[in-house]
Amino acid sequence: MGAYRADEDYDYLFKVVLIGDSGVGKSNLLSRFTKNEFSLESKSTIGVEFATRSIRVDEKVLKAQIWDTAGQERYRAITSAYYRGAVGALLVYDVTRHVTFENMERWLKELRDHTDANIVVMLVGNKADLRHLRAVSTEEATAFAEREKTFFMETSALESMNVENAFTEVLTQIYHVVSKKALEIGDDPAALPKGQTINVGSRDDVSAVKKDGCCSA
Amino acid sequence: MTQPQDPFSYPPIDPVNFDLIIVGTALSESVIAAAASAVGKTILHLDPNSFYGSHFASLSLHDLTSYLSSPHSLPSAAATTTDSDDVVVIDFVQQPLCSDAEIATYDESAFLSENSRKFSIDLGGPKALFCADKTIDLLMKSGAAQYLEFKGIDESFVYEANAGLANVPDSRGSIFRDKKLSLKEKNQLMRFFKLVQQHLDDTQEEKIPEEDLEIAFVSFLEKMKLPPKIKSILLYAIAMLDYDQDNNEVCIELLKTKDGIDSLALYSSSVGRFPNAPGALLYPIYGEGELPQAFCRRAAVKGCIYVLRMSVVSLLMDKVTGSYKGVRLASGQDLYSHQLILDPSFMIPSPLSSSPRDFPSEKLQMLGQRDIKGMVARGICITRSSIKPDVSNCSVVYPPRSLYPEQLTSIKALQIGSNLAVCPAGTFILYFSTMCNDADEGKKLLKAAMNALLTLPVSGNSESIPSVQSDSEDIKPIVLWSAFYIQKLIMCKLEFISSTPTPDGNLNYDDLLDATRKLFNQMYPDEEFFPKSTSPEDPTDEDDNGLTLDS
């Protein structure tokens, strides 16, 4: 379930996934955005499932559920289940390692193979603070983003540069897609109602029933 | 299947020493990976395929066709190194679990090709979960439930000779509403369910006598004077037995009454457990392949290292003691571990002519000998309409002799529609399976079952299939595409090298997971299977945890 509306503490919940080569800084982007923390420890991601943070757009509370890879990208072993229901993705490369940018095409293909065509994709060039080590020019990345029809931003998780902007932009764009799609579904009599989602694992007595506002994938 | 890229473009695996190396990402391997990671073991989990799940995967139409059509072949190691001073290198042989595949496209091949990726077809189907399964409890206990969503299977049917599909009366309400049971039959069934309910109720004193619990369930049902129709429903549609209980000569598994009561208990406690599940069964959205992936994600979060598209080619054994030391990857890299779990398709060739003269090879002989405990014949069909109007997802059981007099086994079937995200809108996937002793027997059974409910376009060998009367009330769905294949049932274990169970013929996973838990306990006798712990690393957001059921 990528996006659904609830009456509790948020209006929309959006699943967003982080993908890209090992070591490009995906986990630090996540911890910077959700907890304002940075770690110089370079060990592969262990222990992090996903993190959440809410932002406000057009008087709506958008809750982002941002998934990390658990290190499964190191030997190209991300599960197809990881992509289920994702409505947004950050495609992350390291501006100081050109090979990580070269692999963006493969990551984008994997993403497109497993997600809905409407998914919002942001190309992210991380570690932009390492100016003297830059190996990928902004022009080269901009051209790729335009060709592949993705958004693009350069960030630094270390210096907090553009991290907030990157996530906020993705969430805002998802919200626009969702709002537009909700209008379209309203006009389409063939759209089947997806029904209700109930959490039965954590609480046997379910009091909060969440209704789908729209569907993806 | 997308052609796997150069497997050697990966960086070398780092570290090279592990507590456990697992080859294959089927359900058992994935559960053990998650269980061992949860207790702090260091694990490397590999799969030669480009997808997770091995024989429990859910694949696109194209990938499924490729998987069933192409035999596995192990690549030779990139670096041809000789035996080192302290290890003997013994090459694996890989024997595919699936064989005798027949695939046919009858209609709309362009549509099927264009929509290949919209299919998520189970290799081990039909498979579902009972709402009260131990599998559900395991999903919650392990934390894997948070990655999964389920929907209920709308209806359960039993096929009756010359009458077609009848509802399985699984609750007081459904017995009351049933239109095909006579009033007398309804009363008999109600009384029997009440008897079982009282027996299971600890507050009740009236119990089924001990001597009755030890006799064959079929004899107990006869003692209860239940008519054949009711007996058939209880034995095959609710207890889900495979073999004809009335035929003493061929019945391989005669069920005892106490086990029959347990089956009825599982079924009845499943009905109504989840408010949005209309019947006893659940099915994971996107297919059964989501289950192994959920456990693998769980293991990865705890530090397990995952590699796809990487096979193992050799076993490394200590030259002096003959004990296990490690494996050699297809990339040429040698890795070491205390224990090894192998996908059941990996084998050691029996005659070890290449091993040194003084090498203790008796141990490996045992690994080369596989216990083949039977075969499962599986069939898959894609149709444009449902076998039952207005029903998307349903299960069907064909009791023994419901199709033709010599039919000695039950056949299980499951239809899944597009609302479970396994096929394009307007299509349905049907899975069939039965136990068999050889491929021809299995396929004959499956084709008879298919012909009872579907229109299978005429092929050369369809003449040999016994004709079955169809329910004239419904128009039979036309099959666009079909596949048949045979899976072997294998199990074995040798000291530090284990092999996991293969997909079985059961509808649910409980037997398989029991075997998996036993394997875990053998490997790690002092460790608990998924101990309860509140790890600070786990997400604290409760709203995002737990099993989700979509209606």
Side-chain angles (χ1 to χ4, degrees), chain B residues 359-403:
Chain B
F359 182 70
S361 55
E362 313 88 50
K363 293 180 175 178
L364 289 181
Q365 296 287 348
M366 287 174 58
L367 185 62
Q369 290 157 17
R370 291 300 173 90
D371 287 343
I372 298 188
K373 302 192 169 180
M375 292 175 179
V376 186
R378 300 196 194 275
I380 307 172
C381 294
I382 297 172
T383 66
R384 272 292 190 184
S385 54
S386 173
I387 57 174
K388 198 72 167 175
D390 300 322
V391 176
S392 270
N393 312 303
C394 57
S395 71
V396 182
V397 171
Y398 303 77
R401 287 174 285 112
S402 61
L403 293 164

Short mmCIF file of all heavy atoms in Angstrom, two decimals, chain B residues 359-403:
data_model
loop_
_atom_site.label_atom_id
_atom_site.label_comp_id
_atom_site.label_asym_id
_atom_site.label_seq_id
_atom_site.Cartn_x
_atom_site.Cartn_y
_atom_site.Cartn_z
N PHE B 359 41.29 -40.39 1.41
CA PHE B 359 40.25 -39.45 1.85
C PHE B 359 39.04 -40.22 2.37
O PHE B 359 38.55 -41.12 1.69
CB PHE B 359 39.85 -38.56 0.68
CG PHE B 359 38.81 -37.53 1.04
CD1 PHE B 359 39.14 -36.46 1.87
CD2 PHE B 359 37.52 -37.64 0.57
CE1 PHE B 359 38.19 -35.52 2.19
CE2 PHE B 359 36.57 -36.70 0.89
CZ PHE B 359 36.91 -35.63 1.71
N PRO B 360 38.54 -39.86 3.55
CA PRO B 360 37.37 -40.58 4.07
C PRO B 360 36.10 -40.16 3.33
O PRO B 360 35.47 -39.16 3.67
CB PRO B 360 37.33 -40.16 5.54
CG PRO B 360 38.00 -38.83 5.57
CD PRO B 360 39.03 -38.85 4.48
N SER B 361 35.74 -40.92 2.32
CA SER B 361 34.66 -40.49 1.43
C SER B 361 33.31 -41.08 1.80
O SER B 361 32.32 -40.81 1.14
CB SER B 361 35.00 -40.88 -0.01
OG SER B 361 35.25 -42.27 -0.08
N GLU B 362 33.25 -41.90 2.88
CA GLU B 362 31.96 -42.50 3.22
C GLU B 362 30.92 -41.43 3.53
O GLU B 362 29.75 -41.57 3.22
CB GLU B 362 32.10 -43.43 4.44
CG GLU B 362 33.27 -44.38 4.38
CD GLU B 362 34.53 -43.75 4.95
OE1 GLU B 362 34.47 -43.21 6.06
OE2 GLU B 362 35.57 -43.80 4.27
N LYS B 363 31.37 -40.36 4.15
CA LYS B 363 30.43 -39.32 4.55
C LYS B 363 29.74 -38.71 3.33
O LYS B 363 28.55 -38.45 3.33
CB LYS B 363 31.15 -38.23 5.33
CG LYS B 363 31.68 -38.71 6.67
CD LYS B 363 32.38 -37.59 7.41
CE LYS B 363 32.80 -38.03 8.79
NZ LYS B 363 33.53 -36.96 9.51
N LEU B 364 30.52 -38.49 2.29
CA LEU B 364 29.94 -37.86 1.11
C LEU B 364 29.00 -38.79 0.38
O LEU B 364 28.07 -38.36 -0.29
CB LEU B 364 31.05 -37.40 0.17
CG LEU B 364 31.84 -36.20 0.68
CD1 LEU B 364 32.90 -35.80 -0.34
CD2 LEU B 364 30.92 -35.02 0.96
N GLN B 365 29.25 -40.09 0.49
CA GLN B 365 28.34 -41.04 -0.14
C GLN B 365 26.92 -40.82 0.36
O GLN B 365 25.96 -40.89 -0.38
CB GLN B 365 28.78 -42.48 0.17
CG GLN B 365 30.14 -42.85 -0.39
CD GLN B 365 30.12 -43.04 -1.90
OE1 GLN B 365 29.06 -43.10 -2.51
NE2 GLN B 365 31.30 -43.12 -2.49
N MET B 366 26.82 -40.54 1.66
CA MET B 366 25.50 -40.34 2.24
C MET B 366 24.82 -39.12 1.64
O MET B 366 23.63 -39.11 1.37
CB MET B 366 25.62 -40.17 3.76
CG MET B 366 25.93 -41.45 4.49
SD MET B 366 26.22 -41.13 6.23
CE MET B 366 24.69 -40.37 6.70
N LEU B 367 25.62 -38.06 1.44
CA LEU B 367 25.03 -36.85 0.89
C LEU B 367 24.55 -37.08 -0.54
O LEU B 367 23.57 -36.49 -0.99
CB LEU B 367 26.05 -35.71 0.91
CG LEU B 367 25.53 -34.34 0.49
CD1 LEU B 367 24.43 -33.88 1.42
CD2 LEU B 367 26.65 -33.31 0.45
N GLY B 368 25.24 -37.96 -1.25
CA GLY B 368 24.85 -38.23 -2.62
C GLY B 368 23.56 -39.01 -2.73
O GLY B 368 22.89 -38.98 -3.75
N GLN B 369 23.21 -39.70 -1.66
CA GLN B 369 21.98 -40.48 -1.70
C GLN B 369 20.81 -39.63 -1.23
O GLN B 369 20.78 -39.20 -0.09
CB GLN B 369 22.11 -41.72 -0.81
CG GLN B 369 23.07 -42.75 -1.37
CD GLN B 369 23.62 -43.66 -0.29
OE1 GLN B 369 23.06 -43.74 0.80
NE2 GLN B 369 24.72 -44.32 -0.59
N ARG B 370 19.88 -39.39 -2.11
CA ARG B 370 18.74 -38.56 -1.77
C ARG B 370 17.51 -39.42 -1.54
O ARG B 370 17.25 -40.35 -2.29
CB ARG B 370 18.44 -37.58 -2.90
CG ARG B 370 19.50 -36.51 -3.05
CD ARG B 370 19.60 -35.71 -1.78
NE ARG B 370 20.70 -34.78 -1.81
CZ ARG B 370 20.62 -33.53 -2.26
NH1 ARG B 370 19.49 -33.11 -2.75
NH2 ARG B 370 21.65 -32.74 -2.22
N ASP B 371 16.78 -39.09 -0.48
CA ASP B 371 15.50 -39.75 -0.25
C ASP B 371 14.44 -39.05 -1.09
O ASP B 371 14.01 -37.96 -0.76
CB ASP B 371 15.10 -39.65 1.22
CG ASP B 371 15.95 -40.55 2.08
OD1 ASP B 371 16.58 -41.46 1.53
OD2 ASP B 371 15.97 -40.34 3.30
N ILE B 372 14.05 -39.69 -2.17
CA ILE B 372 12.93 -39.13 -2.93
C ILE B 372 11.67 -39.74 -2.36
O ILE B 372 11.42 -40.93 -2.48
CB ILE B 372 13.07 -39.43 -4.43
CG1 ILE B 372 14.34 -38.76 -4.96
CG2 ILE B 372 11.85 -38.92 -5.17
CD1 ILE B 372 14.50 -38.82 -6.45
N LYS B 373 10.88 -38.90 -1.71
CA LYS B 373 9.71 -39.40 -0.99
C LYS B 373 8.45 -39.29 -1.82
O LYS B 373 7.36 -39.50 -1.30
CB LYS B 373 9.55 -38.61 0.30
CG LYS B 373 10.79 -38.71 1.18
CD LYS B 373 10.54 -38.19 2.57
CE LYS B 373 11.72 -38.56 3.46
NZ LYS B 373 11.55 -38.10 4.84
N GLY B 374 8.55 -38.94 -3.06
CA GLY B 374 7.36 -38.84 -3.89
C GLY B 374 7.49 -37.70 -4.86
O GLY B 374 8.54 -37.09 -4.99
N MET B 375 6.40 -37.44 -5.55
CA MET B 375 6.39 -36.37 -6.55
C MET B 375 5.09 -35.60 -6.43
O MET B 375 4.06 -36.14 -6.02
CB MET B 375 6.46 -36.96 -7.96
CG MET B 375 7.77 -37.62 -8.29
SD MET B 375 7.65 -38.38 -9.92
CE MET B 375 9.30 -39.03 -10.07
N VAL B 376 5.18 -34.33 -6.79
CA VAL B 376 3.98 -33.51 -6.91
C VAL B 376 3.85 -33.12 -8.37
O VAL B 376 4.81 -32.62 -8.96
CB VAL B 376 4.09 -32.23 -6.05
CG1 VAL B 376 2.77 -31.47 -6.09
CG2 VAL B 376 4.46 -32.56 -4.63
N ALA B 377 2.69 -33.36 -8.94
CA ALA B 377 2.41 -32.87 -10.29
C ALA B 377 1.71 -31.54 -10.15
O ALA B 377 0.77 -31.40 -9.35
CB ALA B 377 1.53 -33.86 -11.04
N ARG B 378 2.19 -30.55 -10.89
CA ARG B 378 1.60 -29.21 -10.81
C ARG B 378 1.14 -28.76 -12.18
O ARG B 378 1.78 -29.04 -13.20
CB ARG B 378 2.59 -28.20 -10.24
CG ARG B 378 3.07 -28.54 -8.84
CD ARG B 378 3.73 -27.35 -8.16
NE ARG B 378 4.47 -27.76 -6.97
CZ ARG B 378 3.93 -27.91 -5.76
NH1 ARG B 378 2.65 -27.68 -5.58
NH2 ARG B 378 4.67 -28.28 -4.74
N GLY B 379 0.02 -28.05 -12.20
CA GLY B 379 -0.48 -27.47 -13.43
C GLY B 379 -0.90 -26.03 -13.19
O GLY B 379 -1.32 -25.68 -12.09
N ILE B 380 -0.74 -25.21 -14.21
CA ILE B 380 -1.13 -23.80 -14.13
C ILE B 380 -1.92 -23.46 -15.38
O ILE B 380 -1.56 -23.89 -16.48
CB ILE B 380 0.10 -22.87 -14.04
CG1 ILE B 380 1.03 -23.30 -12.90
CG2 ILE B 380 -0.34 -21.42 -13.86
CD1 ILE B 380 2.34 -22.54 -12.88
N CYS B 381 -3.00 -22.71 -15.22
CA CYS B 381 -3.77 -22.23 -16.36
C CYS B 381 -4.04 -20.75 -16.22
O CYS B 381 -4.19 -20.24 -15.10
CB CYS B 381 -5.13 -22.93 -16.45
SG CYS B 381 -5.03 -24.66 -16.80
N ILE B 382 -4.10 -20.06 -17.35
CA ILE B 382 -4.54 -18.67 -17.38
C ILE B 382 -5.84 -18.63 -18.16
O ILE B 382 -5.93 -19.19 -19.26
CB ILE B 382 -3.50 -17.76 -18.04
CG1 ILE B 382 -2.20 -17.77 -17.21
CG2 ILE B 382 -4.02 -16.33 -18.17
CD1 ILE B 382 -1.05 -17.05 -17.88
N THR B 383 -6.86 -18.00 -17.57
CA THR B 383 -8.16 -17.91 -18.23
C THR B 383 -8.64 -16.47 -18.26
O THR B 383 -8.10 -15.59 -17.58
CB THR B 383 -9.24 -18.75 -17.50
OG1 THR B 383 -9.45 -18.16 -16.21
CG2 THR B 383 -8.80 -20.19 -17.34
N ARG B 384 -9.70 -16.26 -19.05
CA ARG B 384 -10.32 -14.94 -19.15
C ARG B 384 -11.56 -14.82 -18.27
O ARG B 384 -12.10 -13.74 -18.12
CB ARG B 384 -10.73 -14.68 -20.61
CG ARG B 384 -9.67 -14.06 -21.46
CD ARG B 384 -9.42 -12.67 -21.01
NE ARG B 384 -8.56 -11.93 -21.91
CZ ARG B 384 -8.15 -10.70 -21.66
NH1 ARG B 384 -8.52 -10.11 -20.55
NH2 ARG B 384 -7.38 -10.08 -22.51
N SER B 385 -12.05 -15.92 -17.75
CA SER B 385 -13.22 -15.82 -16.89
C SER B 385 -13.06 -16.77 -15.71
O SER B 385 -12.19 -17.64 -15.72
CB SER B 385 -14.50 -16.14 -17.67
OG SER B 385 -14.38 -17.39 -18.31
N SER B 386 -13.90 -16.57 -14.72
CA SER B 386 -13.80 -17.34 -13.49
C SER B 386 -14.53 -18.67 -13.63
O SER B 386 -15.48 -18.80 -14.39
CB SER B 386 -14.40 -16.54 -12.33
OG SER B 386 -14.46 -17.33 -11.17
N ILE B 387 -14.08 -19.66 -12.85
CA ILE B 387 -14.79 -20.94 -12.85
C ILE B 387 -16.14 -20.81 -12.15
O ILE B 387 -16.99 -21.68 -12.28
CB ILE B 387 -13.97 -22.04 -12.16
CG1 ILE B 387 -13.60 -21.64 -10.73
CG2 ILE B 387 -12.72 -22.36 -12.97
CD1 ILE B 387 -12.91 -22.74 -9.96
N LYS B 388 -16.31 -19.74 -11.39
CA LYS B 388 -17.57 -19.49 -10.71
C LYS B 388 -17.90 -18.02 -10.91
O LYS B 388 -17.13 -17.15 -10.51
CB LYS B 388 -17.43 -19.80 -9.22
CG LYS B 388 -18.74 -19.99 -8.49
CD LYS B 388 -19.40 -21.30 -8.88
CE LYS B 388 -20.52 -21.66 -7.95
NZ LYS B 388 -21.25 -22.87 -8.38
N PRO B 389 -19.02 -17.70 -11.56
CA PRO B 389 -19.34 -16.29 -11.79
C PRO B 389 -19.34 -15.48 -10.50
O PRO B 389 -19.79 -15.95 -9.46
CB PRO B 389 -20.75 -16.35 -12.40
CG PRO B 389 -20.83 -17.70 -13.01
CD PRO B 389 -20.03 -18.60 -12.13
N ASP B 390 -18.78 -14.27 -10.58
CA ASP B 390 -18.74 -13.32 -9.47
C ASP B 390 -17.81 -13.75 -8.34
O ASP B 390 -17.82 -13.12 -7.28
CB ASP B 390 -20.14 -13.07 -8.89
CG ASP B 390 -21.07 -12.49 -9.93
OD1 ASP B 390 -20.60 -11.68 -10.74
OD2 ASP B 390 -22.25 -12.88 -9.95
N VAL B 391 -17.03 -14.79 -8.53
CA VAL B 391 -16.05 -15.19 -7.53
C VAL B 391 -14.66 -15.07 -8.13
O VAL B 391 -14.36 -15.71 -9.14
CB VAL B 391 -16.29 -16.64 -7.05
CG1 VAL B 391 -15.20 -17.06 -6.08
CG2 VAL B 391 -17.66 -16.76 -6.40
N SER B 392 -13.81 -14.23 -7.51
CA SER B 392 -12.46 -14.04 -8.04
C SER B 392 -11.49 -15.09 -7.54
O SER B 392 -10.71 -15.65 -8.30
CB SER B 392 -11.93 -12.67 -7.61
OG SER B 392 -12.25 -11.71 -8.56
N ASN B 393 -11.52 -15.32 -6.23
CA ASN B 393 -10.52 -16.18 -5.60
C ASN B 393 -11.21 -17.30 -4.87
O ASN B 393 -12.05 -17.06 -4.00
CB ASN B 393 -9.69 -15.36 -4.60
CG ASN B 393 -9.20 -14.06 -5.21
OD1 ASN B 393 -8.52 -14.07 -6.23
ND2 ASN B 393 -9.57 -12.94 -4.61
N CYS B 394 -10.87 -18.53 -5.24
CA CYS B 394 -11.51 -19.66 -4.60
C CYS B 394 -10.61 -20.88 -4.65
O CYS B 394 -9.68 -20.96 -5.45
CB CYS B 394 -12.85 -19.99 -5.25
SG CYS B 394 -12.73 -20.34 -7.00
N SER B 395 -10.87 -21.80 -3.73
CA SER B 395 -10.14 -23.06 -3.74
C SER B 395 -11.11 -24.18 -4.11
O SER B 395 -12.31 -24.08 -3.88
CB SER B 395 -9.52 -23.33 -2.37
OG SER B 395 -10.53 -23.65 -1.42
N VAL B 396 -10.56 -25.24 -4.70
CA VAL B 396 -11.37 -26.39 -5.12
C VAL B 396 -10.60 -27.65 -4.74
O VAL B 396 -9.38 -27.71 -4.89
CB VAL B 396 -11.61 -26.41 -6.65
CG1 VAL B 396 -12.49 -27.59 -7.03
CG2 VAL B 396 -12.24 -25.10 -7.11
N VAL B 397 -11.33 -28.64 -4.24
CA VAL B 397 -10.74 -29.95 -4.02
C VAL B 397 -11.54 -30.97 -4.81
O VAL B 397 -12.77 -30.96 -4.78
CB VAL B 397 -10.73 -30.34 -2.52
CG1 VAL B 397 -10.31 -31.79 -2.35
CG2 VAL B 397 -9.79 -29.43 -1.75
N TYR B 398 -10.84 -31.84 -5.53
CA TYR B 398 -11.46 -32.97 -6.24
C TYR B 398 -11.15 -34.22 -5.41
O TYR B 398 -10.02 -34.70 -5.42
CB TYR B 398 -10.86 -33.16 -7.63
CG TYR B 398 -10.93 -31.98 -8.57
CD1 TYR B 398 -10.06 -30.90 -8.43
CD2 TYR B 398 -11.83 -31.96 -9.62
CE1 TYR B 398 -10.11 -29.83 -9.30
CE2 TYR B 398 -11.88 -30.90 -10.51
CZ TYR B 398 -11.02 -29.84 -10.34
OH TYR B 398 -11.05 -28.78 -11.21
N PRO B 399 -12.14 -34.75 -4.68
CA PRO B 399 -11.87 -35.96 -3.90
C PRO B 399 -11.50 -37.14 -4.81
O PRO B 399 -11.81 -37.13 -6.00
CB PRO B 399 -13.21 -36.21 -3.19
CG PRO B 399 -13.91 -34.89 -3.20
CD PRO B 399 -13.50 -34.24 -4.48
N PRO B 400 -10.84 -38.15 -4.25
CA PRO B 400 -10.55 -39.35 -5.04
C PRO B 400 -11.83 -39.91 -5.65
O PRO B 400 -12.89 -39.89 -5.02
CB PRO B 400 -9.96 -40.32 -4.00
CG PRO B 400 -9.39 -39.43 -2.95
CD PRO B 400 -10.30 -38.24 -2.89
N ARG B 401 -11.74 -40.36 -6.88
CA ARG B 401 -12.84 -40.98 -7.64
C ARG B 401 -13.94 -39.99 -8.01
O ARG B 401 -14.98 -40.41 -8.50
CB ARG B 401 -13.44 -42.17 -6.87
CG ARG B 401 -12.51 -43.40 -6.89
CD ARG B 401 -13.02 -44.53 -6.01
NE ARG B 401 -12.81 -44.24 -4.59
CZ ARG B 401 -13.79 -44.01 -3.73
NH1 ARG B 401 -15.05 -44.06 -4.12
NH2 ARG B 401 -13.52 -43.75 -2.46
N SER B 402 -13.71 -38.70 -7.84
CA SER B 402 -14.73 -37.75 -8.27
C SER B 402 -14.62 -37.46 -9.76
O SER B 402 -15.56 -36.97 -10.38
CB SER B 402 -14.63 -36.43 -7.49
OG SER B 402 -13.37 -35.83 -7.71
N LEU B 403 -13.45 -37.78 -10.35
CA LEU B 403 -13.24 -37.52 -11.77
C LEU B 403 -13.37 -38.79 -12.60
O LEU B 403 -13.98 -38.79 -13.66
CB LEU B 403 -11.86 -36.89 -11.99
CG LEU B 403 -11.70 -35.48 -11.42
CD1 LEU B 403 -10.24 -35.10 -11.34
CD2 LEU B 403 -12.47 -34.48 -12.25
#
